[in-house]
Amino acid sequence: MITTMNLSKCYNEKTQVLDDLNIAIKKGEWANIMGPSGSGKTTLLNILSCLDRPTDGSVIINGTEVTKLSQDEMAAFRRENIGLVFQQYHLIPYLTALENVMLAQHFHSMVDEKEAKDALELVGLGHRLDHIPAHLSGGEQQRVSIARALINQPAIILADEPTGNLDRANGKIILDLFKKLHTKGHTIVIVTHDPEIGTMGDRLIRLMDGRTVDEKITA
Amino acid sequence: MVSTLINIALDLNGKVAKELRAFGANLVLLPDEIRENNGQLLSMDEIDKLKDTGRIDDVYGYAPYLYSIGKIEEQNVVIVGSQFENIKKTSPWWKVEGSWNDDNSEESTIMVGSKVAVKLGYKIGDTVTLNIREETDKKESYTEKTDKTDEIPVDGISSASQSLNGDAAKRWPLNILSEMNQGEYTPKQFKLVGIVSTGGSEDNQVFIKLKEAQLLFEKKAQVNLVQISVLTNKNPIEKTALQIEEQIPGTKTRILSQISKAEGNIQDKILFLMVLVTVLTLIGSGLSVMSTMTTTVLERRKEIGMMKAIGAQNKKIAAIFYAEAGAVGLIGGIAGYILGFLMAQIVGKSVFDTFIGFHLMVIPITLISTVLLALISSKIPVGQAIKIDPVITLRGE
Ligand SMILES: Nc1ncnc2c1ncn2[C@@H]1O[C@H](COP(=O)(O)OP(=O)(O)OP(=O)(O)O)[C@@H](O)[C@H]1O
Ligand SMILES: [Mg+2]
């Protein structure tokens, strides 16, 4: 499903963040990426989500060599195939939970209020549709952002420290959601510092200074 | 602001022309030197030639005047006989409280200047006894032109009107004249129908119908002078003046030139000034919309980054900001229109002393121009929004 070949990323001559990475994640797999701060996890995830380009090497997702796509084609590819969940949720503060989800529909194709409601139902926020982010807890906001990532049925869900800002209880709710998505067949890649999450996926990739230091099947 | 200016500009052409004409007619028709020396006046037949547009073009309106002097309650006044339908045309700035003299009515009516009315305590509806100076009185010497008047053969012609005749264009209209206790007066009663205020010497005069004046002053079908309003946009006024002198032998004209020349000039200058102010205002508001939109884009760069990250097309992001700018422009336009309309009224009232007309066209012009302005000024900020790199903005804390 996701394959990288000789992936390198340099920001300038001195800082090589990713160094000759070769990763393969299968369809329907749940992969966790762990590593110390500054090891290049976010950089890798940005490249996998077609937000950033590598300096060298290629990324093939679902049979498409995304590293060869133009800027607009990358955006279109993201729209169709990838759902993103951020550590800081990144919801629009003046839109309600429902509207935030519908915004993603608007960018994808057409808004469908019923579908958006169902997605929020699924993350357990059926009773918070009309709340703006400021009136939701961090965990609830993250659930809205997961609903937003899901709304256009992406095959792949990429999350950068989705529980990083949450307490244990809320983190657990989010994780349970990911489990649910995993059983539904979504390919999931999560960057995390939480060793507990690390043990949950099918595969754990450990990064250190831009290299894979350890890769093991956990499932 | 824009709305104010458009409102005024649309009304300006007509308004300035009227305003300038309001300084008075721009041409005066008088008997020439020979007639003057013979004490001959203008006849109504001659004046009627002014109507003949086949020969004399560009005459917009004219009003004949016949003058005499009289007394009301021992106050000396200038009595003016004229045609009031015509005065309305040549002197549209006259303010008349009550009603005008009706040129066609048989009733003896009078309008008095506002100062006369105040001085004598007259109200509309009062009966005014006007003592009209006997025209047969031959030895008069109350004017500056005493020497000249003395030489004139005087059968039936008043020296008073004679002097008015000669100097009228310069000194017209006259104020209440100095002491004139000589001569005989015939009393005649009039019904006061209107009080005239112009801010000029008319305030000290009294006005009766031309026909009645000609009868009372024994000047059948004659007048001292004619005030003419001549259009100056097609031909120079000098040309029209010459034409009139040729067509009516025994007359001369006097151009009140400062007005006619100014007419074209001032209008151009004011329009230019307004266009300048409008353009500067547009540039100013354009810049302010631009800076507001730039601030908005900067404040929301994380949101924009997120939108791009979840796959938003550039044009959809642009549409959001253009819609926002357009809505602001529309609201601004509506508010601006209302404010502008009120401002135009204030400006109109204080500068032209009239209200600026309501132009329906101003509404769409104002709204379209403010919305367009908002959209155009947003072009650069929206361009910045589209260039935002989600990798960088999403990383920010
Ligand atoms: N735009 C950039 N220009 C230069 N260096 C950058 C840039 N973005 C990231 N880096 C550097 O790349 C390295 C990897 O960053 P990255 O964010 O991928 O680390 P990370 O593993 O996600 O760290 P953390 O766990 O703290 O989120 C860091 O040393 C960082 O300073
Ligand atoms: Mg990171």
Side-chain angles (χ1 to χ4, degrees):
Chain A
M1 189 69 172
I2 304 173
T3 314
T4 71
M5 290 189 298
N6 309 327
L7 195 65
S8 300
K9 177 75 178 180
C10 306
Y11 281 110
N12 51 50
E13 270 143 53
K14 277 177 209 146
T15 52
Q16 175 150 26
V17 181
L18 299 179
D19 185 3
D20 199 25
L21 267 184
N22 292 288
I23 293 169
I25 297 164
K26 294 201 196 79
K27 189 169 173 20
E29 215 171 25
W30 175 340
N32 290 316
I33 300 173
M34 294 187 77
S37 192
S39 57
K41 306 181 296 294
T42 299
T43 307
L44 173 61
L45 204 71
N46 283 343
I47 293 171
L48 295 185
S49 44
C50 303
L51 287 171
D52 206 356
R53 290 172 189 280
T55 318
D56 226 332
S58 58
V59 178
I60 297 160
I61 300 173
N62 221 353
T64 307
E65 189 171 352
V66 293
T67 35
K68 280 196 177 150
L69 298 178
S70 73
Q71 204 71 31
D72 286 346
E73 287 167 337
M74 269 164 64
F77 189 86
R78 261 195 324 268
R79 208 152 58 223
E80 294 303 328
N81 301 287
I82 296 167
L84 290 177
V85 177
F86 313 96
Q87 181 176 355
Q88 279 122 348
Y89 327 131
H90 289 301
L91 300 174
I92 307 260
Y94 44 86
L95 296 183
T96 65
L98 186 64
E99 288 163 344
N100 264 287
V101 175
M102 283 160 68
L103 186 69
Q105 289 179 317
H106 167 72
F107 291 139
H108 179 264
S109 49
M110 289 216 291
V111 292
D112 181 337
E113 194 173 330
K114 167 118 196 3
E115 246 176 54
K117 275 182 185 164
D118 290 347
L120 284 165
E121 252 1 297
L122 185 84
V123 298
L125 289 178
H127 57 301
R128 293 277 142 83
L129 299 178
D130 296 326
H131 285 53
I132 57 165
H135 296 163
L136 294 171
S137 75
E140 287 168 336
Q141 288 185 56
Q142 190 62 298
R143 277 141 75 190
V144 175
S145 102
I146 290 172
R148 179 180 64 189
L150 290 176
I151 192 67
N152 298 317
Q153 274 104 36
I156 302 163
I157 292 173
L158 302 176
D160 195 350
E161 302 189 33
T163 59
N165 282 354
L166 299 178
D167 59 28
R168 213 153 241 294
N170 275 300
K172 177 139 190 342
I173 299 173
I174 300 299
L175 276 181
D176 287 342
L177 272 175
F178 278 111
K179 277 183 198 157
K180 210 153 130 189
L181 297 176
H182 183 224
T183 54
K184 278 183 156 183
H186 290 277
T187 305
I188 296 171
V189 180
I190 297 177
V191 166
T192 184
H193 282 290
D194 185 342
E196 205 178 313
I197 300 176
T199 61
M200 277 178 178
D202 305 314
R203 181 190 295 267
L204 178 64
I205 299 162
R206 284 190 177 277
L207 283 189
M208 183 82 85
D209 297 333
R211 272 177 237 242
T212 326
V213 289
D214 185 19
E215 188 177 353
K216 63 181 175 210
I217 310 295
T218 47
Chain B
M1 188 68 195
V2 175
S3 186
T4 311
L5 292 167
I6 297 174
N7 245 321
I8 295 173
L10 281 183
D11 234 31
L12 187 69
N13 282 325
K15 200 124 278 170
V16 169
K18 271 191 216 153
E19 184 74 8
L20 289 170
R21 191 155 293 121
F23 290 135
N26 48 10
L27 198 63
V28 176
L29 183 68
L30 303 159
D32 67 5
E33 311 294 331
I34 302 164
R35 279 203 201 188
E36 196 182 325
N37 289 334
N38 294 330
Q40 243 183 307
L41 305 187
L42 300 168
S43 79
M44 292 305 279
D45 291 344
E46 289 171 323
I47 294 166
D48 282 343
K49 288 185 185 168
L50 286 170
K51 269 188 221 150
D52 195 345
T53 48
R55 285 186 292 177
I56 303 165
D57 302 322
D58 298 339
V59 171
Y60 166 81
Y62 62 89
Y65 284 78
L66 180 63
Y67 293 98
S68 187
I69 29 203
K71 286 186 180 202
I72 302 175
E73 295 178 15
E74 296 308 306
Q75 291 284 334
N76 295 319
V77 290
V78 173
I79 307 165
V80 182
S82 191
Q83 294 171 337
F84 297 92
E85 276 313 308
N86 289 326
I87 288 185
K88 283 179 192 171
K89 251 188 181 177
T90 54
S91 313
W93 74 99
W94 277 31
K95 282 188 196 131
V96 176
E97 188 193 322
S99 60
W100 292 71
N101 285 335
D102 179 354
D103 295 324
N104 301 316
S105 117
E106 295 298 321
E107 206 183 349
S108 291
T109 57
I110 191 167
M111 303 196 306
V112 303
S114 56
K115 287 187 183 153
V116 176
V118 169
K119 202 166 186 179
L120 300 174
Y122 282 139
K123 292 186 304 295
I124 289 159
D126 286 354
T127 301
V128 177
T129 306
L130 189 58
N131 297 296
I132 297 158
R133 198 179 160 83
E134 286 292 340
E135 290 302 316
T136 44
D137 187 0
K138 287 160 195 177
K139 295 285 175 204
E140 271 316 316
S141 59
Y142 58 87
T143 71
E144 313 138 3
K145 293 200 168 183
T146 318
D147 47 332
K148 194 176 172 187
T149 345
D150 282 340
E151 296 162 10
I152 295 168
V154 281
D155 50 335
I157 293 148
S158 141
S159 50
S161 58
Q162 175 62 33
S163 87
L164 281 164
N165 188 359
D167 221 28
K170 244 184 268 162
R171 296 191 295 117
W172 177 89
L174 296 175
N175 297 312
I176 291 182
L177 298 174
S178 49
E179 286 299 304
M180 341 173 278
N181 291 321
Q182 314 98 308
E184 313 233 330
Y185 292 87
T186 320
K188 164 89 183 159
Q189 295 203 325
F190 291 87
K191 188 183 161 209
L192 178 57
V193 293
I195 293 169
V196 177
S197 44
T198 65
S201 40
E202 289 88 350
D203 293 355
N204 291 320
Q205 302 173 340
V206 301
F207 303 87
I208 61 175
K209 284 172 288 180
L210 182 63
K211 278 195 183 142
E212 200 160 20
Q214 287 167 338
L215 217 69
L216 292 168
F217 307 162
E218 293 166 30
K219 297 277 176 355
K220 198 161 188 309
Q222 295 181 90
V223 299
N224 290 100
L225 57 87
V226 185
Q227 288 192 55
I228 309 173
S229 277
V230 171
L231 297 174
T232 57
N233 46 358
K234 274 184 260 158
N235 294 307
I237 190 164
E238 290 82 4
K239 197 180 155 192
T240 315
L242 261 173
Q243 216 178 3
I244 293 172
E245 284 178 10
E246 270 168 31
Q247 292 298 332
I248 311 175
T251 64
K252 65 178 180 190
T253 56
R254 206 165 284 179
I255 298 168
L256 307 175
S257 59
Q258 68 281 14
I259 298 157
S260 22
K261 269 185 197 155
E263 196 162 320
N265 251 337
I266 290 184
Q267 212 163 322
D268 285 353
K269 276 185 196 152
I270 295 181
L271 256 182
F272 173 76
L273 204 72
M274 294 202 133
V275 168
L276 193 74
V277 171
T278 308
V279 167
L280 289 178
T281 311
L282 283 176
I283 292 175
S285 19
L287 286 175
S288 84
V289 170
M290 201 158 106
S291 77
T292 309
M293 285 304 287
T294 305
T295 313
T296 307
V297 167
L298 277 176
E299 273 171 359
R300 301 212 209 138
R301 62 189 186 282
K302 275 195 179 178
E303 290 170 28
I304 298 165
M306 180 277 293
M307 291 180 194
K308 295 190 82 169
I310 66 172
Q313 298 94 321
N314 288 343
K315 60 177 182 201
K316 283 193 178 170
I317 293 175
I320 290 172
F321 285 93
Y322 278 132
E324 196 163 307
V328 169
L330 192 67
I331 293 167
I334 293 169
Y337 176 77
I338 295 168
L339 255 167
F341 188 76
L342 296 178
M343 280 289 288
Q345 298 315 317
I346 293 168
V347 172
K349 187 79 187 117
S350 55
V351 177
F352 300 112
D353 200 30
T354 41
F355 288 107
I356 301 281
F358 173 78
H359 294 281
L360 200 65
M361 271 305 290
V362 179
I363 297 177
I365 290 176
T366 305
L367 296 189
I368 290 171
S369 60
T370 52
V371 169
L372 266 183
L373 180 75
L375 294 183
I376 291 167
S377 319
S378 305
K379 206 168 152 43
I380 293 174
V382 169
Q384 289 171 334
I386 282 170
K387 276 198 220 106
I388 281 173
D389 181 359
V391 175
I392 292 166
T393 56
L394 292 180
R395 212 179 257 280
E397 298 314 304

